Amino acid sequence: MRPFLYVLSFLAVIASGFWAYRENYATQEALKQVSRLNRDIASLREGLTLQRAEWAYLNRPDRLRDLVVLNFDKLGLLPLEPEQMGNARQVAYPRPPAPPAIEGATDTSATPGKTRPAAAAKTDKDFP
Amino acid sequence: MIRTPLRPLARILSARARGENPEAIERENLRLRHEAMRDRARAMAEGRLVFLALAFFMVFGVIGARMGLMAATVPEEPKSAAPGAEILAQRADITDRNGRILATNMMTHALYAQTNDMVDPARVARELVKIFPEMNAEDLQRRFTDGRSFMWLRKVLSPEQMQKVHEIGDPGLLFGPREMRLYPNGTLAAHVLGGASFGAEGVSSAEVIGTAGIEKALDARLRDPAQAGQPLELSLDLTVQATVEEILDAGMKMMNAKGAAAILMEAHTGEIVALASLPNFDPNNRPSPLVQGDPSDSPLFNRAVQGVYELGSTFKIFAVSQALELGLVSPDTIIDAKTPLVSGRFRIKEFQNHNYGMIPVWDVIAKSSNVGTARIALQVGGLRQQAFLKSLGFFEPTHVELIEAPGAKPLVQKRWSDIVTITTSYGHGLSASPMHLAAAYGAIANDGVTVQPTLIHSDSHPVGTRVISDRVARQVLDMLRGVVTHGTASYAEVPGYDVAGKTGTADKARRDGKGYYKDKVVNTFASIFPADDPKYVLVVTMDEPVDTSGPIPRRTAGYTTVPIAAEIIRRTAPLLGLPPRAVPPGGEKIDTANLE
């Protein structure tokens, strides 16, 4: 029994040594990859900063103003002015559609138009 | 353990037989037993002490060894615990309120030479001069060969220049990475940003430090590695700033002025939306400051913050505000504005020797009467006037976040006699910067509560102290509106926006202190818009303007700064998102009757 335990523990030591060896190299590889990625991130960040700076440089108001003047024929851009802002109430809405025209001849003389002013006058008197 | 009996029978019996006392045997044995016990306990205690000492020795040994190791080795960043954000320990960006970049960093390279490794110094010197015309070949060659081993050649290189230096191909020319501060908008907001330069320089890096403006004032914040990822958000609006600078520049040229400044500030928060000072400079290539002469001749001079001028009639509203607040007058009280007003040996007169006679308080402001204001100020009294101006911040530098601000202390008379009370009431004898004026008009626009001008965009702002009641603030605003509708600032009438404001024309004080120049003025227009619900304060100042469009040169603010300010309001108000009030067709009539 005892020799068997000795052999077993010896094997266990070898196995754990092998495992530690592999872990060590895996860790080192992971660390290298992290630093590689960090370098990549740094260079991408640097690129991003540069792109942002270039974007800001290309969009600087001086240049845009010059471009607007240069391309006025094509774009016709003008500075924003108060007249360009408005209120919804200032918008002229389309007229409501006219009622459908009455087809055919209409007998206007037969309509009881003459009674209308009298009726109106009566109403006015009732409600001064 | 075999226990030895204390009274062994054999010895007792033999002792008894001998007639000795057996107790002695027992005591003897007891003594021996106790001695053995004592020895055992001592050995055990000694063992424990030794063990403890050993343990302590090992622990301290480990700590000491670790300390020695740490002290002896070169510091190294832990590889596994470096998150990506802090890789570039760079200076934080500066953006406007909409996140548009005002200042950022760019990677570039510095050029240095290690002369020990240099193969052909003469050729290198010749080739370098071809790339950098400002260098001198003989000088370079002398310095390459005079025994020094290291020298800087250039602080920053463009990629093309770097390529050309590479093509020289000499192993003695080396590059060090550099982070360079870049202002992509050129001269825009130059006086706010200031500039940056290199501090301590090493081969592999150099620190970037602010040299002026907000770069220097907030240097610690911008360099803080913990906040490097978050840009510093200014209250400026790039578009509005560009528009203000464009109009101010055109106006300055049109009015033949030496310089001009404009401040556009949010009335309720004190956030400065635009701050311009002309002439300006390019912070990427900051000119060196003047060593002699008038500092205001340098483009580096920030007129809006550093320019301490007598601001003229713009001050009149403060005397009137205070009199209203104290209940001494109402807007319709009739004031005796008959000229001249005699105080001691001084005679106070009006502009162009007008005589306004008896006029109401609102007309004192609209006509800008010196005598009327002086009478009101005398009613208020010097002590109270001083306290009021102090509460508006006219006695100390502004707290705006620029390194130049603390240096611009207003010039205040030491002895506050009656004549000082009179002259201060119409803006002479007390010099302050346009920023002070903007802050004070901000208090009127903010319903009588002071505001702190700031360049930092933020959600919360300190609550100011109340200097006048909201009722008085309303009355004062109506009076300022009157200045525009039928007073000295009628050119400030902007269709769709009700502008309220006050003009100020002050003779420029001579630099030698001997009185004033005859034909040099500082014109100021301080305005608030829209008058019915104040949102913004605009202060425009021009240094030595003159309007030569008419037959006689005109130097009053009504003809010089007011049209410029009106144009600024007309162009920036839509950009600020202020919708215009509906205007009757044909526009509004401009009354030019009282333009002084």
Side-chain angles (χ1 to χ4, degrees):
Chain A
M1 189 63 197
R2 198 167 268 189
F4 176 69
L5 270 179
Y6 283 148
V7 170
L8 207 67
S9 57
F10 184 68
L11 285 176
V13 165
I14 289 178
S16 67
F18 179 68
W19 175 82
Y21 176 85
R22 284 204 10 186
E23 281 303 298
N24 183 22
Y25 276 88
T27 310
Q28 281 183 17
E29 184 53 39
L31 282 177
K32 266 183 214 154
Q33 197 181 348
V34 166
S35 71
R36 223 174 11 246
L37 285 174
N38 276 339
R39 260 203 312 281
D40 285 356
I41 292 170
S43 77
L44 285 174
R45 256 175 216 282
E46 197 189 309
L48 203 64
T49 315
L50 200 67
Q51 306 267 6
R52 268 208 298 264
E54 185 155 0
W55 178 255
Y57 180 68
L58 291 175
N59 277 301
R60 65 192 188 277
D62 286 0
R63 180 171 175 273
L64 292 184
R65 208 178 286 141
D66 292 347
L67 286 178
V68 163
V69 173
L70 270 176
N71 297 299
F72 187 76
D73 294 343
K74 261 183 272 172
L75 301 173
L77 293 174
L78 283 171
L80 185 63
E81 303 215 334
E83 293 78 42
Q84 286 158 270
M85 296 180 96
N87 195 306
R89 280 182 298 175
Q90 288 173 292
V91 178
Y93 283 94
R95 286 157 176 262
I102 300 166
E103 303 266 327
T106 313
D107 179 11
T108 49
S109 64
T111 48
K114 283 181 185 165
T115 59
R116 293 287 293 177
K122 192 163 181 274
T123 337
D124 285 350
K125 215 177 272 172
D126 287 342
F127 303 98
Chain B
M1 188 179 128
I2 301 155
R3 201 174 163 82
T4 9
L6 288 177
R7 293 168 72 97
L9 198 55
R11 282 184 65 190
I12 297 279
L13 289 179
S14 58
R16 275 202 187 136
R18 283 195 301 274
E20 291 168 6
N21 188 359
E23 294 295 320
I25 295 173
E26 189 186 351
R27 234 174 260 133
E28 169 68 13
N29 279 342
L30 202 61
R31 184 184 65 82
L32 287 174
R33 185 187 281 182
H34 280 166
E35 270 180 12
M37 277 163 73
R38 189 197 61 204
D39 289 348
R40 249 197 335 273
R42 177 182 286 162
M44 201 188 269
E46 273 176 4
R48 279 180 184 162
L49 279 175
V50 167
F51 176 76
L52 207 64
L54 216 67
F56 268 98
F57 178 78
M58 269 158 61
V59 169
F60 280 108
V62 166
I63 293 174
R66 185 76 193 131
M67 280 166 72
L69 201 69
M70 281 166 97
T73 50
V74 190
E76 193 185 345
E77 294 245 341
K79 266 193 207 157
S80 54
E86 286 116 49
I87 292 170
L88 290 173
Q90 50 173 228
R91 201 176 168 84
D93 285 356
I94 301 178
T95 68
D96 80 340
R97 61 167 59 203
N98 301 317
R100 296 172 70 180
I101 289 174
L102 295 174
T104 184
N105 305 297
M106 204 176 75
M107 281 310 282
T108 176
H109 288 86
L111 178 63
Y112 63 96
Q114 285 199 326
T115 47
N116 297 341
D117 299 336
M118 206 170 272
V119 178
D120 185 357
R123 192 183 76 88
V124 170
R126 271 199 317 279
E127 295 284 331
L128 278 177
V129 171
K130 280 188 205 160
I131 306 169
F132 309 109
E134 77 277 8
M135 291 180 180
N136 181 329
E138 286 97 63
D139 193 36
L140 272 184
Q141 195 182 344
R142 182 180 55 73
R143 286 163 70 200
F144 284 152
T145 49
D146 67 358
R148 74 182 84 188
S149 59
F150 177 93
M151 62 183 278
W152 288 107
L153 289 172
R154 264 184 76 101
K155 293 203 171 196
V156 287
L157 292 177
S158 74
E160 295 84 19
Q161 288 169 334
M162 190 175 162
Q163 184 56 37
K164 283 181 186 162
V165 174
H166 263 308
E167 282 164 10
I168 297 176
D170 198 288
L173 292 176
L174 294 164
F175 304 99
R178 280 288 177 280
E179 206 157 67
M180 194 183 90
R181 201 66 165 159
L182 182 78
Y183 304 94
N185 298 304
T187 60
L188 194 82
H191 287 99
V192 175
L193 297 170
S197 67
F198 292 116
E201 284 185 272
V203 165
S204 56
S205 67
E207 62 174 356
V208 179
I209 52 167
T211 49
I214 204 159
E215 287 267 24
K216 189 164 184 183
L218 297 181
D219 198 41
R221 151 71 178 85
L222 289 166
R223 287 166 74 172
D224 184 1
Q227 297 183 72
Q230 300 141 330
L232 176 67
E233 205 173 312
L234 298 192
S235 60
L236 296 182
D237 184 312
L238 189 70
T239 320
V240 177
Q241 173 80 22
T243 310
V244 169
E245 285 190 17
E246 183 193 1
I247 298 167
L248 198 66
D249 185 51
M252 188 179 90
K253 285 177 183 140
M254 204 190 294
M255 300 301 168
N256 310 300
K258 195 177 128 190
I263 300 167
L264 180 62
M265 185 181 88
E266 280 183 0
H268 299 300
T269 60
E271 288 193 8
I272 295 163
V273 185
L275 189 155
S277 170
L278 294 175
N280 57 10
F281 61 94
D282 186 354
N284 290 306
N285 188 13
R286 197 179 155 80
S288 34
L290 294 182
V291 284
Q292 55 179 13
D294 188 352
S296 71
D297 290 338
S298 164
L300 295 176
F301 188 74
N302 186 348
R303 278 164 216 278
V305 175
Q306 289 174 288
V308 178
Y309 307 110
E310 289 181 310
L311 292 164
S313 312
T314 49
F315 265 58
K316 285 178 183 155
I317 201 67
F318 304 132
V320 171
S321 309
Q322 195 180 8
L324 287 170
E325 175 69 18
L326 295 171
L328 299 173
V329 294
S330 78
D332 296 315
T333 308
I334 301 294
I335 298 290
D336 175 12
K338 284 201 280 284
T339 53
L341 167 68
V342 182
S343 169
R345 58 191 177 86
F346 298 96
R347 293 162 67 86
I348 312 300
K349 287 198 249 173
E350 303 287 5
F351 177 73
Q352 288 183 340
N353 288 324
H354 278 282
N355 188 349
Y356 296 116
M358 306 292 280
I359 48 172
V361 169
W362 60 263
D363 216 20
V364 167
I365 291 299
K367 290 208 166 64
S368 193
S369 160
N370 291 345
V371 175
T373 318
R375 290 222 193 271
I376 294 171
L378 286 174
Q379 277 190 48
V380 171
L383 274 178
R384 287 196 290 193
Q385 182 190 32
Q386 238 177 314
F388 186 66
L389 291 176
K390 206 172 266 179
S391 69
L392 288 173
F394 279 112
F395 278 60
E396 54 177 27
T398 52
H399 299 291
V400 70
E401 296 85 356
L402 293 176
I403 198 74
E404 293 86 2
K409 199 171 184 311
L411 305 176
V412 184
Q413 301 286 339
K414 292 236 160 49
R415 271 193 65 242
W416 206 271
S417 59
D418 266 2
I419 187 65
V420 174
T421 304
I422 290 171
T423 56
T424 305
S425 74
Y426 56 84
H428 287 73
L430 190 156
S431 304
S433 68
M435 188 60 78
H436 284 98
L437 195 65
Y441 271 70
I444 295 173
N446 192 24
D447 298 330
V449 179
T450 55
V451 288
Q452 183 92 266
T454 175
L455 278 163
I456 308 296
H457 189 46
S458 138
D459 294 332
S460 62
H461 293 277
V463 180
T465 49
R466 181 166 286 285
V467 284
I468 49 174
S469 67
D470 49 356
R471 187 183 55 84
V472 171
R474 190 66 252 166
Q475 287 174 341
V476 169
L477 268 172
D478 288 342
M479 276 188 221
L480 290 175
R481 175 74 189 130
V483 176
V484 176
T485 52
H486 45 263
T488 55
S490 48
Y491 280 133
E493 196 67 277
V494 180
Y497 298 100
D498 291 342
V499 180
K502 183 75 195 75
T503 56
T505 305
D507 291 330
K508 229 178 150 178
R510 294 174 73 101
R511 277 189 59 75
D512 53 14
K514 291 177 188 158
Y516 293 90
Y517 289 110
K518 272 270 170 286
D519 53 354
K520 288 186 180 174
V521 291
V522 174
N523 283 351
T524 311
F525 183 54
S527 55
I528 297 169
F529 67 95
D532 52 340
D533 178 21
K535 292 244 162 45
Y536 293 95
V537 173
L538 172 71
V539 173
V540 178
T541 301
M542 298 194 114
D543 195 357
E544 300 179 23
V546 52
D547 172 24
T548 50
S549 61
I552 43 162
R554 289 180 288 208
R555 293 195 172 82
T556 53
Y559 283 106
T560 56
T561 48
V562 171
I564 311 296
E567 180 64 9
I568 290 177
I569 294 172
R570 197 181 73 82
R571 287 278 304 278
T572 55
L575 294 173
L576 295 165
L578 282 182
R581 185 170 45 73
V583 184
E588 279 153 321
K589 208 169 146 259
I590 287 180
D591 175 15
T592 53
N594 297 304
L595 274 179
E596 276 103 54

